[in-house]
Amino acid sequence: MKKKIAIIGAGIGGLTLANLLQNNSDFEFIIYEKRETLSLEEGFGVQLAVNSISILNQVSFSSLSKSEIYNPTKLDFYSNEDKICDLDLTQFNTETEKYTTLKRSSLIKFLKDKLFSNSIRFNKTIENVKQDKDTVEIKFEDGTREEVDYLVVADGLFSHTKSVIEKKTFNPIYYGAVAIRTQIKAKDIPKFKTKNISLIMSAKAHLVSYPVNNNGDINLVCILRKKLNEKKSIEQLLSERFVNKNKNLLSFFKGNLKSWSIYTSSKPIKSTLKKVFYIGDAFYTFPPTLAQGASQSIESAKELYDLMIDNKQNIENIYFEKRRQKIIMINNRSKLNYFAFHFSNPVLKFFRNQFLKRLIKNNRFINTFLGKIYK
């Protein structure tokens, strides 16, 4: 008999899991999404390392039009506007799996379009969840009910479903920073190297830019340190903490700016119910300084899928422990990056820059610090 799975949330993690399940006749699934539809207009970018591309290729990601993706070959490091060094990203690639950037909306559309048309039910919000010995019963706010073998929650950091299931409120942690994002065209910044990923480090701020396709669209995100109760506007903070120190980069911010506060999870959660699982940001949300948010959503979906296939009796503990170990590794590296990117002391900046020049040539360090995550 087929195992029935309910997936809450039609983001990257939920859609990846659905695509994997659809290719296996031992399972049937439905995605439940609280919104009325999936927004495919938002064009901001995501970075996908080889660890996630290898998973996506199992659901034919390699068939996506080459015009919709980009394969950067280098990560350029800058201290303000002065280039320090660059990291060769191709060392993590294989013949078929390459470091990839693209619009988040392109990835969502690809994953959605691969599913059967009736795979997603919209306007569905969970009201209550109960578990019998072998099944999970879900009651939705519209009065409908479902009984499934597994419930997978993939509805993000501010997961309503997690609070309902665990019967407690989960408060994410403000990370002391805001993200400011926009899109620009490569032709608008002709003096800047737009073919690579660029990381520009400044005092209490850093900026990352990269192409998201082969049409000259550049994704740009600036992370600024900001106290939670600070009253300054985003434009004022951006001017004081980044643009005034990097005036030649003023043209980067001519587009429509969007901003939001950065929050992370307090700790990973294992459900009190045996057949309920959290993936992606619902499991744990990382600081954005290692660009692993999307990749880890994809990776967590694949880890859970593999355990479901094996039909192990203790999959909730196996899954949680494997995820927890990966989170510790990524979180520690993300926090170290955040600390190092924002030096303001000239002496610390000098030594950071010198260390960077040496470290990117040290294969042992690169394989330990990035290889264990990217591959």
Side-chain angles (χ1 to χ4, degrees):
M1 177 181 273
K2 289 187 177 183
K3 284 190 172 3
K4 190 173 182 180
I5 298 167
I7 301 171
I8 309 301
I12 292 173
L15 290 171
T16 298
L17 177 60
N19 274 269
L20 293 167
L21 291 168
Q22 185 169 267
N23 291 334
N24 191 313
S25 60
D26 291 333
F27 299 95
E28 60 182 54
F29 68 90
I30 292 290
I31 300 175
Y32 297 96
E33 171 58 47
K34 67 179 179 181
R35 294 171 293 178
E36 294 183 0
T37 185
L38 293 186
S39 174
L40 299 176
E41 296 179 359
E42 182 265 297
F44 293 130
V46 292
Q47 299 182 46
L48 299 175
V50 171
N51 60 330
S52 51
I53 295 298
S54 62
I55 296 166
L56 290 176
N57 280 349
Q58 296 179 33
V59 295
S60 304
F61 181 75
S62 57
S63 66
L64 188 64
S65 171
K66 299 303 179 186
S67 66
E68 294 192 62
I69 65 172
Y70 191 81
N71 298 122
T73 58
K74 290 183 179 181
L75 167 58
D76 293 329
F77 291 93
Y78 293 83
S79 180
N80 292 323
E81 297 174 42
D82 299 320
K83 184 174 176 180
I84 305 167
C85 54
D86 55 66
L87 173 68
D88 178 15
L89 294 173
T90 64
Q91 63 187 296
F92 306 111
N93 295 347
T94 68
E95 186 74 23
T96 57
E97 298 151 359
K98 298 178 181 180
Y99 201 103
T100 300
T101 57
L102 74 164
K103 292 182 179 181
R104 183 182 185 278
S105 54
S106 297
L107 178 57
I108 293 289
K109 184 177 186 302
F110 164 78
L111 292 168
K112 173 182 175 289
D113 289 350
K114 295 291 291 181
L115 299 175
F116 298 132
S117 58
N118 61 348
S119 297
I120 306 177
R121 295 180 186 170
F122 294 96
N123 295 311
K124 303 290 282 188
T125 302
I126 283 184
E127 182 179 289
N128 191 35
V129 174
K130 293 191 300 184
Q131 182 171 315
D132 293 329
K133 183 178 179 181
D134 297 317
T135 60
V136 179
E137 183 183 289
I138 308 167
K139 181 183 178 183
F140 294 93
E141 289 184 355
D142 61 9
T144 59
R145 297 175 183 268
E146 293 289 347
E147 196 172 272
V148 297
D149 295 290
Y150 297 114
L151 171 60
V152 181
V153 179
D155 59 350
L157 171 63
F158 298 96
S159 173
H160 164 79
T161 309
K162 184 160 63 173
S163 296
V164 170
I165 293 170
E166 309 303 335
K167 295 180 171 39
K168 59 186 284 190
T169 301
F170 293 90
N171 295 314
I173 299 171
Y174 178 60
Y175 203 63
V178 293
I180 302 172
R181 215 162 193 173
T182 190
Q183 279 195 314
I184 52 178
K185 288 286 188 179
K187 62 181 178 60
D188 295 330
I189 46 173
K191 295 182 180 179
F192 196 77
K193 291 183 179 180
T194 56
K195 292 186 177 181
N196 300 335
I197 300 173
S198 297
L199 170 62
I200 302 168
M201 300 176 287
S202 191
K204 297 183 179 180
H206 74 276
L207 180 144
V208 179
S209 73
Y210 54 88
V212 290
N213 52 37
N214 282 292
N215 301 321
D217 293 320
I218 306 295
N219 181 77
L220 182 147
V221 59
C222 187
I223 307 297
L224 301 173
R225 291 186 184 242
K226 177 182 180 294
K227 294 179 181 178
L228 189 59
N229 59 354
E230 198 165 359
K231 302 300 183 184
K232 292 180 180 178
S233 69
I234 293 301
E235 290 77 13
Q236 187 177 359
L237 284 170
L238 185 60
S239 175
E240 290 179 358
R241 296 184 184 171
F242 191 81
V243 176
N244 284 352
K245 299 179 181 67
N246 303 278
K247 292 186 177 180
N248 290 332
L249 303 181
L250 180 61
S251 59
F252 274 46
F253 301 96
K254 290 183 177 180
N256 181 31
L257 302 181
K258 293 188 178 181
S259 66
W260 61 91
S261 299
I262 296 175
Y263 287 86
T264 62
S265 302
S266 56
K267 62 179 181 179
I269 294 296
K270 183 173 70 172
S271 180
T272 54
L273 304 182
K274 291 188 72 173
K275 295 200 171 186
V276 173
F277 302 90
Y278 299 106
I279 65 173
D281 284 348
F283 187 89
Y284 192 88
T285 301
F286 301 95
T289 43
L290 202 60
Q292 274 287 297
S295 285
Q296 288 307 308
S297 291
I298 293 166
E299 195 172 293
S300 63
K302 180 61 163 59
E303 287 173 2
L304 182 56
Y305 171 73
D306 287 343
L307 289 168
M308 288 177 173
I309 288 178
D310 291 343
N311 198 27
K312 291 183 180 293
Q313 296 298 311
N314 196 29
I315 69 171
E316 65 277 359
N317 290 325
I318 298 171
Y319 169 75
F320 178 81
E321 187 56 29
K322 186 173 183 179
R323 272 286 89 202
R324 190 183 71 84
Q325 291 296 331
K326 195 65 173 282
I327 281 169
I328 291 171
M329 181 190 301
I330 294 172
N331 215 27
N332 287 342
R333 286 158 171 72
S334 296
K335 289 178 178 178
L336 178 60
N337 284 356
Y338 185 73
F339 172 72
F341 290 173
H342 293 183
F343 284 160
S344 55
N345 183 290
V347 176
L348 290 177
K349 288 168 69 173
F350 172 80
F351 282 109
R352 175 198 64 195
N353 298 347
Q354 295 304 309
F355 274 123
L356 262 176
K357 290 178 183 179
R358 293 174 178 271
L359 289 175
I360 63 163
K361 296 178 182 179
N362 186 315
N363 290 333
R364 183 176 179 181
F365 170 79
I366 293 300
N367 288 330
T368 300
F369 194 81
L370 294 176
K372 289 184 177 179
I373 295 171
Y374 285 178
K375 293 182 179 180

